[in-house]
PDB file of all heavy atoms in Angstrom:
ATOM      1  N   LEU V 192      -1.626  -3.325  -8.221  1.00 96.00           N
ATOM      2  CA  LEU V 192      -0.583  -3.274  -7.205  1.00 96.00           C
ATOM      3  C   LEU V 192       0.236  -1.998  -7.366  1.00 96.00           C
ATOM      4  O   LEU V 192       0.625  -1.633  -8.475  1.00 96.00           O
ATOM      5  CB  LEU V 192       0.332  -4.489  -7.323  1.00 96.00           C
ATOM      6  CG  LEU V 192       1.527  -4.542  -6.377  1.00 96.00           C
ATOM      7  CD1 LEU V 192       1.076  -4.748  -4.946  1.00 96.00           C
ATOM      8  CD2 LEU V 192       2.489  -5.648  -6.810  1.00 96.00           C
ATOM      9  N   VAL V 193       0.499  -1.338  -6.253  1.00 98.00           N
ATOM     10  CA  VAL V 193       1.349  -0.147  -6.254  1.00 98.00           C
ATOM     11  C   VAL V 193       2.746  -0.522  -5.754  1.00 98.00           C
ATOM     12  O   VAL V 193       3.745  -0.241  -6.402  1.00 98.00           O
ATOM     13  CB  VAL V 193       0.747   0.947  -5.363  1.00 98.00           C
ATOM     14  CG1 VAL V 193       1.694   2.143  -5.274  1.00 98.00           C
ATOM     15  CG2 VAL V 193      -0.623   1.364  -5.877  1.00 98.00           C
ATOM     16  N   ALA V 194       2.794  -1.140  -4.583  1.00 97.00           N
ATOM     17  CA  ALA V 194       4.076  -1.518  -3.986  1.00 97.00           C
ATOM     18  C   ALA V 194       3.835  -2.574  -2.921  1.00 97.00           C
ATOM     19  O   ALA V 194       2.753  -2.634  -2.335  1.00 97.00           O
ATOM     20  CB  ALA V 194       4.771  -0.306  -3.374  1.00 97.00           C
ATOM     21  N   SER V 195       4.871  -3.373  -2.665  1.00 96.00           N
ATOM     22  CA  SER V 195       4.769  -4.392  -1.629  1.00 96.00           C
ATOM     23  C   SER V 195       6.085  -4.472  -0.867  1.00 96.00           C
ATOM     24  O   SER V 195       7.140  -4.052  -1.363  1.00 96.00           O
ATOM     25  CB  SER V 195       4.410  -5.750  -2.230  1.00 96.00           C
ATOM     26  OG  SER V 195       5.350  -6.131  -3.222  1.00 96.00           O
ATOM     27  N   ILE V 196       6.004  -5.038   0.347  1.00 96.00           N
ATOM     28  CA  ILE V 196       7.181  -5.115   1.201  1.00 96.00           C
ATOM     29  C   ILE V 196       7.129  -6.385   2.041  1.00 96.00           C
ATOM     30  O   ILE V 196       6.070  -6.762   2.535  1.00 96.00           O
ATOM     31  CB  ILE V 196       7.279  -3.855   2.100  1.00 96.00           C
ATOM     32  CG1 ILE V 196       8.577  -3.850   2.915  1.00 96.00           C
ATOM     33  CG2 ILE V 196       6.067  -3.728   3.010  1.00 96.00           C
ATOM     34  CD1 ILE V 196       8.856  -2.503   3.580  1.00 96.00           C
ATOM     35  N   ARG V 197       8.272  -7.048   2.138  1.00 94.00           N
ATOM     36  CA  ARG V 197       8.375  -8.177   3.063  1.00 94.00           C
ATOM     37  C   ARG V 197       8.366  -7.596   4.469  1.00 94.00           C
ATOM     38  O   ARG V 197       9.332  -6.937   4.874  1.00 94.00           O
ATOM     39  CB  ARG V 197       9.671  -8.955   2.850  1.00 94.00           C
ATOM     40  CG  ARG V 197       9.740  -9.747   1.579  1.00 94.00           C
ATOM     41  CD  ARG V 197      11.056 -10.513   1.527  1.00 94.00           C
ATOM     42  NE  ARG V 197      11.362 -11.023   0.211  1.00 94.00           N
ATOM     43  CZ  ARG V 197      11.176 -12.265  -0.177  1.00 94.00           C
ATOM     44  NH1 ARG V 197      10.669 -13.159   0.659  1.00 94.00           N
ATOM     45  NH2 ARG V 197      11.492 -12.644  -1.400  1.00 94.00           N
ATOM     46  N   PHE V 198       7.277  -7.842   5.179  1.00 90.00           N
ATOM     47  CA  PHE V 198       7.031  -7.045   6.375  1.00 90.00           C
ATOM     48  C   PHE V 198       7.873  -7.485   7.563  1.00 90.00           C
ATOM     49  O   PHE V 198       8.340  -6.661   8.331  1.00 90.00           O
ATOM     50  CB  PHE V 198       5.549  -7.132   6.749  1.00 90.00           C
ATOM     51  CG  PHE V 198       5.135  -6.148   7.797  1.00 90.00           C
ATOM     52  CD1 PHE V 198       4.984  -4.807   7.473  1.00 90.00           C
ATOM     53  CD2 PHE V 198       4.889  -6.547   9.098  1.00 90.00           C
ATOM     54  CE1 PHE V 198       4.599  -3.885   8.430  1.00 90.00           C
ATOM     55  CE2 PHE V 198       4.500  -5.639  10.062  1.00 90.00           C
ATOM     56  CZ  PHE V 198       4.353  -4.298   9.729  1.00 90.00           C
ATOM     57  N   ARG V 199       8.087  -8.794   7.719  1.00 83.00           N
ATOM     58  CA  ARG V 199       8.699  -9.291   8.950  1.00 83.00           C
ATOM     59  C   ARG V 199      10.198  -9.454   8.875  1.00 83.00           C
ATOM     60  O   ARG V 199      10.873  -9.329   9.891  1.00 83.00           O
ATOM     61  CB  ARG V 199       8.087 -10.647   9.339  1.00 83.00           C
ATOM     62  CG  ARG V 199       6.668 -10.559   9.821  1.00 83.00           C
ATOM     63  CD  ARG V 199       6.569  -9.819  11.136  1.00 83.00           C
ATOM     64  NE  ARG V 199       5.181  -9.529  11.471  1.00 83.00           N
ATOM     65  CZ  ARG V 199       4.811  -8.568  12.282  1.00 83.00           C
ATOM     66  NH1 ARG V 199       5.721  -7.789  12.840  1.00 83.00           N
ATOM     67  NH2 ARG V 199       3.544  -8.372  12.537  1.00 83.00           N
ATOM     68  N   ASP V 200      10.754  -9.742   7.692  1.00 82.00           N
ATOM     69  CA  ASP V 200      12.185 -10.017   7.717  1.00 82.00           C
ATOM     70  C   ASP V 200      12.992  -8.971   6.962  1.00 82.00           C
ATOM     71  O   ASP V 200      13.300  -7.920   7.493  1.00 82.00           O
ATOM     72  CB  ASP V 200      12.479 -11.445   7.218  1.00 82.00           C
ATOM     73  CG  ASP V 200      11.794 -11.793   5.905  1.00 82.00           C
ATOM     74  OD1 ASP V 200      11.485 -10.880   5.127  1.00 82.00           O
ATOM     75  OD2 ASP V 200      11.569 -12.986   5.667  1.00 82.00           O
ATOM     76  N   SER V 201      13.283  -9.213   5.702  1.00 86.00           N
ATOM     77  CA  SER V 201      14.273  -8.397   5.012  1.00 86.00           C
ATOM     78  C   SER V 201      13.806  -6.991   4.666  1.00 86.00           C
ATOM     79  O   SER V 201      14.634  -6.112   4.433  1.00 86.00           O
ATOM     80  CB  SER V 201      14.707  -9.108   3.728  1.00 86.00           C
ATOM     81  OG  SER V 201      13.606  -9.191   2.830  1.00 86.00           O
ATOM     82  N   GLY V 202      12.500  -6.790   4.589  1.00 88.00           N
ATOM     83  CA  GLY V 202      12.022  -5.493   4.144  1.00 88.00           C
ATOM     84  C   GLY V 202      12.181  -5.272   2.648  1.00 88.00           C
ATOM     85  O   GLY V 202      12.075  -4.140   2.180  1.00 88.00           O
ATOM     86  N   THR V 203      12.436  -6.356   1.907  1.00 93.00           N
ATOM     87  CA  THR V 203      12.534  -6.253   0.449  1.00 93.00           C
ATOM     88  C   THR V 203      11.272  -5.616  -0.108  1.00 93.00           C
ATOM     89  O   THR V 203      10.166  -5.916   0.339  1.00 93.00           O
ATOM     90  CB  THR V 203      12.707  -7.652  -0.157  1.00 93.00           C
ATOM     91  OG1 THR V 203      13.910  -8.227   0.348  1.00 93.00           O
ATOM     92  CG2 THR V 203      12.780  -7.587  -1.674  1.00 93.00           C
ATOM     93  N   THR V 204      11.472  -4.723  -1.082  1.00 94.00           N
ATOM     94  CA  THR V 204      10.340  -3.999  -1.649  1.00 94.00           C
ATOM     95  C   THR V 204      10.186  -4.278  -3.142  1.00 94.00           C
ATOM     96  O   THR V 204      11.129  -4.703  -3.821  1.00 94.00           O
ATOM     97  CB  THR V 204      10.512  -2.493  -1.442  1.00 94.00           C
ATOM     98  OG1 THR V 204      11.742  -2.076  -2.051  1.00 94.00           O
ATOM     99  CG2 THR V 204      10.535  -2.146   0.037  1.00 94.00           C
ATOM    100  N   ASN V 205       9.001  -3.997  -3.619  1.00 95.00           N
ATOM    101  CA  ASN V 205       8.685  -4.159  -5.039  1.00 95.00           C
ATOM    102  C   ASN V 205       7.740  -3.027  -5.425  1.00 95.00           C
ATOM    103  O   ASN V 205       6.828  -2.697  -4.647  1.00 95.00           O
ATOM    104  CB  ASN V 205       8.025  -5.507  -5.275  1.00 95.00           C
ATOM    105  CG  ASN V 205       7.634  -5.705  -6.724  1.00 95.00           C
ATOM    106  OD1 ASN V 205       8.453  -5.550  -7.620  1.00 95.00           O
ATOM    107  ND2 ASN V 205       6.375  -6.031  -6.960  1.00 95.00           N
ATOM    108  N   TYR V 206       7.972  -2.434  -6.598  1.00 97.00           N
ATOM    109  CA  TYR V 206       7.157  -1.304  -7.040  1.00 97.00           C
ATOM    110  C   TYR V 206       6.617  -1.531  -8.447  1.00 97.00           C
ATOM    111  O   TYR V 206       7.292  -2.102  -9.303  1.00 97.00           O
ATOM    112  CB  TYR V 206       7.993  -0.021  -7.056  1.00 97.00           C
ATOM    113  CG  TYR V 206       8.460   0.435  -5.700  1.00 97.00           C
ATOM    114  CD1 TYR V 206       9.695   0.034  -5.204  1.00 97.00           C
ATOM    115  CD2 TYR V 206       7.663   1.257  -4.910  1.00 97.00           C
ATOM    116  CE1 TYR V 206      10.124   0.436  -3.955  1.00 97.00           C
ATOM    117  CE2 TYR V 206       8.093   1.668  -3.656  1.00 97.00           C
ATOM    118  CZ  TYR V 206       9.325   1.253  -3.194  1.00 97.00           C
ATOM    119  OH  TYR V 206       9.742   1.665  -1.953  1.00 97.00           O
TER     120      TYR V 206
END
Side-chain angles (χ1 to χ4, degrees):
L192 177 69
V193 175
S195 56
I196 185 168
R197 290 182 195 259
F198 191 75
R199 289 293 170 203
D200 49 25
S201 65
T203 299
T204 58
N205 178 53
Y206 295 92

